[in-house]
Amino acid sequence: MNWLYLILGGFLEIGFTTCMRFAKGWNDISWFLGLLACLVGSITLVQLASRTIPLGTAYAIWTAFGAAGTVILGMMAFGEPVSVTRLAFIAGIVVCVVGLKLSGA
């Protein structure tokens, strides 16, 4: 169950960064509230996951999931640049996360 919390927290991290893109301070309160909800939900889920998953591993996976997911979403939905280099670095993030998982107790 804790791995599910971690994955869901990663998705909320992507939601947080997406809302951050559209929130313009207090000018658009709906995006700002979405940002806060995703942030609180994401942090809560990673905290729950870290009860049994080593904290360093949980944090690394959570941030990597959010970072890679945000880059991929940006390329797919917001027209951000797609290049072999960017894709290779995203793959590097994934490889490192898998390595952390496999090397853990």
Side-chain angles (χ1 to χ4, degrees), residues 4 6 10 17 24 26 41-43 51 54-55 59-60 78 96 103 105:
L4 179 62
L6 193 57
T17 57
K24 294 169 180 57
W26 294 98
S42 183
I43 290 172
R51 290 180 179 174
L55 179 61
Y59 182 73
F78 303 123
C96 290
S103 68

Side-chain angles (χ1 to χ4, degrees), residues 63-84:
T63 56
F65 192 99
T70 300
V71 171
I72 292 166
L73 179 67
M75 289 188 292
M76 292 175 58
F78 303 123
E80 294 180 5
V82 179
S83 69
V84 171

